[in-house]
């Protein structure tokens, strides 16, 4: 009897986002090196494990395939000056086809997350930092930093990485000077990139939280008959606007607003959440 595969998408492949700008020359070079060399079978992995290649325990093939895809994804989103990967684990997981969704609709990025925290980070290839979101009372997506050791997996030396960083800093400071601003150090560039990454994560969390609230309201409205649902929406709209604004809208404008919001919520209730692949 054939054994059933226990891993979804046994052949993950990194698919770059369509809307992104062309990547810098160093990123393209590093991605080419990583695609030409099997990073999951790099001799460096065996050296760090303290064994010799011929007798070492090979990486599980499913994890090896995940590593090949994730390496390209992290390089694609790599910020040369700061060393940060400007993408969350969830985004990386989605772009590599490693995310799964259960029958109940719950999304899982465990395969990508464990690759980072259980393998790449303990071996020193990446560093993951958590930042606490006081507003949402939870951690925002991990900040991932690629170490020079990571680049050695596909024979890109620390000297080449350092040269690329200095070149990138030159471009950054040239742009700042053209705007009449002072030049910055590599440390300041890292701080700004980290700040930008955290800001994006906060904005994503807040927008996702707001959308989840709308979906909950939409599901509640979908369970009511149309008249009762519109009465509920009318009460919410009255609470939202001032008396002056309500007088300006008038009865007709108020009815139109109720109809618009009702049909909008009906559409949300009948549409599956975006960016969650159904597997």
């Amino acid at each position: 009897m054939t054994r059933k595969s226990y891993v979804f998408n046994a052949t993950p492949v990194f698919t770059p986002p369509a809307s992104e700008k062309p990547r810098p020359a160093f990123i393209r070079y590093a991605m080419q090196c990583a695609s030409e060399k099997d990073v999951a079978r790099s001799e460096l992995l065996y050296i760090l494990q303290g064994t010799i290649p011929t007798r070492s325990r090979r990486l599980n093939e499913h994890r090896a395939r995940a590593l090949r895809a994730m390496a390209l994804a992290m390089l694609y989103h790599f910020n040369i000056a700061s060393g940060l990967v400007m993408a969350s684990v969830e985004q990386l997981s989605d772009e590599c086809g490693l995310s799964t969704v259960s029958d109940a609709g719950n999304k899982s990025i465990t395969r990508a997350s464990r690759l980072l925290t259980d393998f790449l980070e303990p071996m020193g290839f990446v560093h993951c930092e958590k930042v606490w979101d006081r507003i949402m009372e939870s951690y925002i997506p991990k900040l991932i930093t690629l170490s020079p050791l990571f680049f050695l997996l596909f024979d890109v030396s620390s000297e080449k990485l350092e040269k690329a960083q200095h070149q990138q800093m030159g471009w950054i400071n040239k742009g700042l000077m053209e705007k009449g601003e002072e030049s910055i150090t590599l440390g300041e560039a890292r701080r700004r990139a980290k700040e930008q990454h955290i800001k994006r994560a906060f904005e994503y969390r807040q927008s996702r939280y707001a959308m989840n609230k709308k979906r909950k309201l939409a599901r509640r409205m979908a369970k009511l008959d149309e008249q009762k649902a519109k009465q509920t929406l009318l009460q919410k709209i009255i609470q939202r606007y001032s008396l002056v604004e309500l007088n300006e809208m008038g009865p007709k404008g108020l009815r139109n607003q109720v109809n618009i919001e009702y049909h909008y919520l009906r559409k949300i209730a009948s549409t599956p959440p975006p960016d969650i692949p159904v597997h």
Side-chain angles (χ1 to χ4, degrees):
M1 189 170 98
T2 304
R3 182 185 177 190
K4 184 178 178 181
S5 174
Y6 62 92
V7 174
F8 172 82
N9 190 4
T11 55
V13 176
F14 168 58
T15 303
S19 59
E20 289 288 332
K21 297 179 181 179
R23 310 313 293 151
F26 175 77
I27 298 297
R28 297 196 303 271
Y29 166 73
M31 289 183 71
Q32 182 179 351
C33 292
S35 62
E36 291 176 351
K37 179 167 183 175
D38 189 351
V39 295
R41 303 301 176 209
S42 170
E43 186 178 356
L44 180 61
L45 294 177
Y46 300 111
I47 293 173
L48 292 175
Q49 289 172 345
T51 59
I52 56 175
T54 54
R55 296 184 59 188
S56 64
R57 181 180 174 184
R58 289 166 62 87
L59 255 184
N60 174 289
E61 185 56 33
H62 291 300
R63 176 164 284 185
R65 291 170 183 172
L67 174 56
R68 294 177 190 118
M70 283 284 285
L72 292 175
M74 290 189 291
L75 284 172
Y76 183 89
H77 292 288
F78 182 63
N79 182 296
I80 300 172
S82 68
L84 286 174
V85 175
M86 304 299 282
S88 65
V89 180
E90 181 178 2
Q91 182 179 348
L92 296 171
S93 179
D94 289 348
E95 291 174 355
C96 292
L98 295 170
S99 302
T100 59
V101 178
S102 68
D103 293 337
N106 299 316
K107 185 176 184 178
S108 172
I109 59 170
T110 302
R111 195 173 169 195
S113 182
R114 285 183 175 173
L115 175 66
L116 287 167
T117 57
D118 295 351
F119 183 72
L120 291 175
E121 187 170 26
M123 295 186 73
F125 293 112
V126 304
H127 172 68
C128 298
E129 179 184 355
K130 290 182 177 180
V131 178
W132 181 255
D133 181 349
R134 294 181 180 179
I135 297 174
M136 305 302 295
E137 295 187 344
S138 62
Y139 285 104
I140 68 168
K142 294 184 181 77
L143 293 168
I144 307 167
T145 302
L146 300 184
S147 73
L149 193 64
F150 175 82
F151 290 85
L152 292 180
L153 280 172
F154 38 92
D155 298 330
V156 174
S157 66
S158 56
E159 288 78 16
K160 285 184 179 178
L161 175 60
E162 188 176 347
K163 182 179 178 180
Q165 287 177 326
H166 285 304
Q167 187 177 40
Q168 187 69 17
M169 285 302 303
W171 282 104
I172 290 172
N173 284 324
K174 181 182 177 182
L176 290 173
M177 290 176 66
E178 289 175 352
K179 294 178 183 178
E181 300 178 20
E182 293 183 2
S183 61
I184 60 174
T185 63
L186 183 60
E188 176 62 14
R190 287 174 178 159
R191 189 195 67 78
R192 291 186 182 187
K194 182 177 178 180
E195 191 176 78
Q196 182 186 23
H197 185 81
I198 293 173
K199 181 174 180 290
R200 285 180 182 175
F202 278 142
E203 289 172 350
Y204 173 73
R205 277 282 174 97
Q206 289 170 346
S207 64
R208 187 170 63 175
Y209 176 72
M211 196 62 200
N212 285 340
K213 286 183 66 177
K214 287 182 181 179
R215 286 199 184 93
K216 288 179 181 178
L217 176 60
R219 287 194 289 268
R220 288 203 306 269
M221 295 296 103
K223 294 177 181 179
L224 303 175
D225 62 73
E226 184 174 344
Q227 184 178 0
K228 192 166 184 181
K230 287 185 175 181
Q231 287 176 348
T232 302
L233 286 173
L234 176 61
Q235 294 172 359
K236 291 182 177 295
I237 291 170
I238 290 173
Q239 293 173 356
R240 188 189 309 157
Y241 293 101
S242 66
L243 286 175
V244 175
E245 290 170 328
L246 289 171
N247 286 330
E248 289 177 351
M249 291 173 68
K252 185 178 179 180
L254 199 54
R255 282 196 301 272
N256 287 339
Q257 186 66 28
V258 170
N259 288 331
I260 289 170
E261 296 201 14
Y262 174 74
H263 290 294
Y264 172 64
L265 290 174
R266 291 281 297 181
K267 185 177 180 180
I268 291 177
S270 62
T271 305
D275 300 326
I276 299 182
V278 179
H279 301 316

